[in-house]
């Protein structure tokens, strides 16, 4: 049995402005940096059993992971498979702009059409397959261990759906908070949710990712 504790990155200015980041390397803002320190303070060396830390190689995730890794004396293992969904022509646009400039694609993303390929991006199904394969690979490398995984809202959304057996098109009712801790257990190839949306370590400044597209951050 492997425990994967998925942590979404801290807030960026583009989160606040509701602008699609996707695979663009947008850094944390001041609140995001403070949130990274707050999630690090949640863990205590010698008390909390953590064997490894992985992160998306995008700066907003990696920089969120750094304080926790330093506190626990672990290295951060960067993995591009943990990146956000690649949104192609959507990246850099606000949600209002993408609906105005690319209305057909905006509808396909909003309605979660699994096989609609964005120009220069990934389809939802391609993204799902990438995320599941990456997390399965990490779990297989750490049997019986607890692993922290710093990543993005779309990765969290995909992991939750896979563990709960939800359709890719199902309406999202689960939270994707910045620096939330979201616990999965992977055993004999099966996934289950062991806890979701834990933000008890935050002291105000909660940023919810309830947005369209839900997995653009």
């Amino acid at each position: 049995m492997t425990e994967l504790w998925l942590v979404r990155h801290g807030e960026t200015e583009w989160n606040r402005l509701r602008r699609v980041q996707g695979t663009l390397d947008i850094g944390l803002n001041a609140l995001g940096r403070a949130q990274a320190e707050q999630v690090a303070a949640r863990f205590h060396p010698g008390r909390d059993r953590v064997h490894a830390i992985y992160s998306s190689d995008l700066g907003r995730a990696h920089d969120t992971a750094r304080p926790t890794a330093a506190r626990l004396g672990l290295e951060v293992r960067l993995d591009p498979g943990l990146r956000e969904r690649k949104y192609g022509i959507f990246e850099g646009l606000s949600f209002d702009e993408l609906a105005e400039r690319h209305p057909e694609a905006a509808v396909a993303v909003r309605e979660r059409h699994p096989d609609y390929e964005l120009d220069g991006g990934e389809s939802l199904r391609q993204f799902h397959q990438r995320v599941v394969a990456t997390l399965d690979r990490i779990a297989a490398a750490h049997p019986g261990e607890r692993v922290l995984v710093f990543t993005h809202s779309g990765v969290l959304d995909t992991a939750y759906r896979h563990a709960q057996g939800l359709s890719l098109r199902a309406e999202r009712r689960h939270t994707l908070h910045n620096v939330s801790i979201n616990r999965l257990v992977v055993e004999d190839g099966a996934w289950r949710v062991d806890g979701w949306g834990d933000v008890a370590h935050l002291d105000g400044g909660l940023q919810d990712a309830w947005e369209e597209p839900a997995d653009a951050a």
Side-chain angles (χ1 to χ4, degrees):
M1 180 183 78
T2 303
E3 294 181 39
L4 298 180
W5 288 23
L6 310 183
V7 184
R8 187 186 170 202
H9 63 78
E11 186 188 83
T12 73
E13 196 64 14
W14 281 23
N15 287 151
R16 194 181 65 79
L17 296 174
R18 293 177 54 79
R19 191 169 292 277
V20 178
Q21 296 176 119
T23 56
L24 295 180
D25 204 0
I26 308 303
L28 300 176
N29 62 14
L31 175 57
R33 292 190 292 274
Q35 289 172 334
E37 296 293 341
Q38 287 175 323
V39 74
R42 156 69 175 76
F43 296 97
H44 299 275
R47 190 193 76 181
D48 291 311
R49 182 178 58 90
V50 176
H51 298 91
I53 297 178
Y54 284 76
S55 174
S56 159
D57 61 346
L58 296 179
R60 58 190 182 273
H62 188 195
D63 287 344
T64 304
R66 289 177 193 271
T68 300
R71 184 172 175 85
L72 295 178
L74 295 170
E75 66 172 328
V76 180
R77 310 184 193 193
L78 299 182
D79 193 324
L82 296 170
R83 287 184 177 188
E84 184 56 276
R85 181 180 175 186
K86 187 175 183 181
Y87 273 90
I89 57 173
F90 274 21
E91 294 184 352
L93 300 180
S94 70
F95 297 128
D96 290 339
E97 289 169 341
L98 65 87
E100 178 181 338
R101 299 182 192 182
H102 308 287
E104 178 186 340
V107 169
V109 170
R110 184 173 66 249
E111 296 182 353
R112 302 186 59 85
H113 294 183
D115 296 304
Y116 187 93
E117 288 193 40
L118 294 166
D119 186 5
E122 293 174 288
S123 72
L124 188 57
R125 194 179 308 279
Q126 289 169 336
F127 176 60
H128 176 89
Q129 291 170 344
R130 165 165 66 86
V131 169
V132 171
T134 299
L135 293 177
D136 269 339
R137 170 169 50 77
I138 291 172
H142 296 277
E145 296 183 343
R146 177 179 295 160
V147 180
L148 303 185
V149 178
F150 288 80
T151 185
H152 306 266
S153 61
V155 174
L156 267 61
D157 180 64
T158 298
Y160 185 91
R161 290 173 187 275
H162 187 71
Q164 297 288 76
L166 296 177
S167 164
L168 294 180
R169 299 200 68 172
E171 181 181 356
R172 179 165 69 85
R173 299 186 181 278
H174 46 283
T175 59
L176 303 173
H177 296 303
N178 286 105
V179 294
S180 58
I181 297 173
N182 307 276
R183 301 191 301 276
L184 296 180
V185 170
V186 180
E187 187 171 17
D188 297 328
W191 296 23
R192 63 178 170 85
V193 174
D194 194 43
W196 199 262
D198 179 4
V199 291
H201 47 281
L202 286 185
D203 180 21
L206 182 64
Q207 166 72 24
D208 190 2
W210 197 274
E211 60 193 16
E212 293 182 294
D215 47 1

